[in-house]
Amino acid sequence: MQSLVAEYESRQAEFEALRRAAIVHVQRLLDEAGLNIHHVTSRVKKPASLADKLRRKPGRHHALDDVTDLVGVRVITYFESDVNVVSKLVEGAYQVDWNNSVDKSKMRDPDRFGYMGVHYVVRPLEGTPEFRGLHLRAFPLEIQIRSILQHAWAEIEHDLGYKNPDAVPREVRRRFYRLAGLLEMADEEFMTVARLSRDYGATLPQRVAEEPDSVFIDAQSMKFLLDTGTVAELDSRIANALNVTLLVGWPDPERPQRLASLLQYVGVHSVGQLDRELQRHADDIERFAVALLPRVRQVWMPAGGARPGTSLTHYALLRANEHPGLDVAEVVHLLDLSGVGSEQTLRQGVTEVLRDLRLQDEGPTVRQLD
């Protein structure tokens, strides 16, 4: 036992190189497949952990390559269905040791213990570029694939110290079974939600074109509207009037959600309603934006351009300023522009611009909504 631990300690750099190659290879497989994965981790077993394992299982391991989990990679997916997809990738890219691999996700007995994913022991295939030149290129690796909920089960189970059903007190075991069933049901419901969300997004273009009043303002519809129709046209008008670039593709995945919340706050709830409001007040929105943006350039135009949805933010500011039940400060909060001085700068800028444009004397232009 001591000789194996000593050999392992002396070859830590080799095992670390194997770990790096393994995680790079797995990540490449996932990227090439276009999978959206929660996270991928890897680890090299500590010498103390190896010594403990050899003590617990005397005579079972005679060489280091008898220990199949010295290097491990763990893939955590969002959904249980993705566990199967990643499993197929691994099976196609590695030589699988089926005698030491277990697909616990297929253990569907009604009283099965736990809610676990897939556990592979594999060896890299000859010629895999990430493993070329490594002394341990043919060494066994452990690859675990779990959904987030399967991972939660495994981590809690490990923390409680239960390794198998016999270790669990009888009065506790039934609750473990119930929890496993609940997690499995939750995984299935999350997959259903994901499918419904995809179906909703796929039908948006047709529904917006044919029944805009039936399409609610939400993050998905907002993302679609930023690239087309009245919103995109008015954004372009504002950018052109300011002689700046409209930052199409601006890397802010939360912006559609913030804009949707903003429109809900000012009382716009459907795509049809939004389209009518923007068309009716397009000239005032453009005049207001062109006058306001240069005064608050540090807030609104990072990188020298206008972000998609700039027409919506200015519509909301006008609406909030002229409606007694709304507050410009809440608009700032919903747009996540609450940095030092932002709220005060915006309030002052809005007041000055409205005064200069004499919109206040002429009466509100966007007080009434459909």
Side-chain angles (χ1 to χ4, degrees):
M1 182 186 81
Q2 294 301 325
S3 62
L4 283 183
V5 175
E7 180 187 355
Y8 181 60
E9 287 182 315
S10 70
R11 302 179 67 183
Q12 283 290 284
E14 295 178 44
F15 283 98
E16 180 61 29
L18 180 62
R19 180 200 66 79
R20 290 194 299 268
I23 195 170
V24 169
H25 181 228
V26 169
Q27 189 64 64
R28 175 169 66 84
L29 295 177
L30 299 173
D31 292 342
E32 290 177 350
L35 292 175
N36 183 23
I37 298 299
H38 184 258
H39 71 268
V40 183
T41 60
S42 62
R43 62 104 182 98
V44 173
K45 185 182 285 292
K46 296 178 180 179
S49 296
L50 173 60
D52 180 63
K53 182 170 188 173
L54 295 176
R55 278 194 298 269
R56 286 186 286 105
K57 300 177 180 180
R60 186 168 175 177
H61 305 95
H62 305 285
L64 286 180
D65 60 3
D66 290 336
V67 186
T68 59
D69 63 345
L70 292 179
V71 175
V73 175
R74 179 176 292 161
V75 181
I76 306 299
T77 70
Y78 285 103
F79 307 109
E80 185 190 11
S81 57
D82 289 332
V83 172
N84 297 327
V85 177
V86 178
S87 297
K88 295 301 181 185
L89 292 177
V90 170
E91 291 174 15
Y94 287 89
Q95 177 186 343
V96 179
D97 178 356
W98 292 108
N99 291 327
N100 290 300
S101 300
V102 181
D103 186 351
K104 296 182 179 179
S105 67
K106 290 185 171 62
M107 297 168 60
R108 297 297 185 184
D109 293 337
D111 62 346
R112 66 185 173 89
F113 182 79
Y115 181 51
M116 293 168 267
V118 183
H119 172 114
Y120 286 113
V121 173
V122 302
R123 295 178 190 266
L125 294 178
E126 186 72 27
T128 304
E130 286 82 358
F131 296 94
R132 286 175 185 161
L134 296 183
H135 293 295
L136 299 175
R137 59 183 176 276
F139 202 86
L141 306 165
E142 179 184 74
I143 299 179
Q144 294 180 353
I145 309 166
R146 302 169 176 166
S147 70
I148 288 179
L149 294 182
Q150 288 170 340
H151 182 60
W153 169 277
E155 290 296 292
I156 294 172
E157 178 191 56
H158 180 270
D159 185 64
L160 292 174
Y162 297 133
K163 298 293 185 180
N164 57 63
D166 295 330
V168 183
R170 291 181 62 86
E171 59 269 25
V172 176
R173 196 177 306 171
R174 175 172 169 75
R175 290 189 175 272
F176 264 88
Y177 293 148
R178 291 172 61 191
L179 283 171
L182 287 173
L183 288 175
E184 185 174 323
M185 290 176 61
D187 238 336
E188 291 174 354
E189 287 302 309
F190 276 126
M191 287 188 287
T192 299
V193 168
R195 177 180 55 78
L196 291 174
S197 181
R198 288 193 299 269
D199 293 345
Y200 174 76
T203 62
L204 268 177
Q206 181 177 354
R207 293 178 59 210
V208 168
E210 298 177 357
E211 302 177 283
D213 285 317
S214 71
V215 181
F216 291 102
I217 296 294
D218 52 41
Q220 281 188 268
S221 61
M222 194 74 265
K223 184 178 180 180
F224 173 76
L225 293 175
L226 289 177
D227 296 326
T228 187
T230 304
V231 176
E233 292 171 5
L234 189 50
D235 283 351
S236 295
R237 278 180 55 179
I238 292 172
N240 290 336
L242 288 163
N243 196 29
V244 299
T245 301
L246 179 61
L247 301 175
V248 177
W250 180 260
D252 185 358
E254 294 183 1
R255 186 163 176 79
Q257 181 172 323
R258 288 198 295 269
L259 291 173
S261 297
L262 177 64
L263 290 173
Q264 295 285 351
Y265 174 68
V266 299
V268 178
H269 303 291
S270 76
V271 171
Q273 182 186 9
L274 174 63
D275 191 64
R276 290 189 293 273
E277 284 294 305
L278 294 183
Q279 291 193 35
R280 182 181 302 161
H281 305 296
D283 292 341
D284 284 338
I285 294 170
E286 180 182 353
R287 290 177 62 209
F288 177 63
V290 169
L292 178 63
L293 281 171
R295 299 176 187 239
V296 291
R297 186 177 298 270
Q298 75 280 11
V299 174
W300 290 103
M301 292 193 293
R307 287 178 284 182
T310 187
S311 57
L312 303 179
T313 61
H314 290 90
Y315 169 79
L317 283 169
L318 276 172
R319 174 76 177 153
N321 188 75
E322 297 175 347
H323 193 287
L326 302 176
D327 189 352
V328 171
E330 182 62 17
V331 173
V332 175
H333 171 72
L334 289 170
L335 289 170
D336 195 25
L337 294 173
S338 53
V340 177
S342 295
E343 180 181 330
Q344 181 179 357
T345 300
L346 280 175
R347 279 182 174 277
Q348 182 177 350
V350 169
T351 300
E352 291 175 354
V353 167
L354 289 174
R355 182 192 62 213
D356 294 346
L357 296 177
R358 298 181 180 178
L359 291 179
Q360 291 174 319
D361 294 336
E362 296 171 3
T365 59
V366 291
R367 182 180 300 276
Q368 299 300 321
L369 295 176
D370 289 345

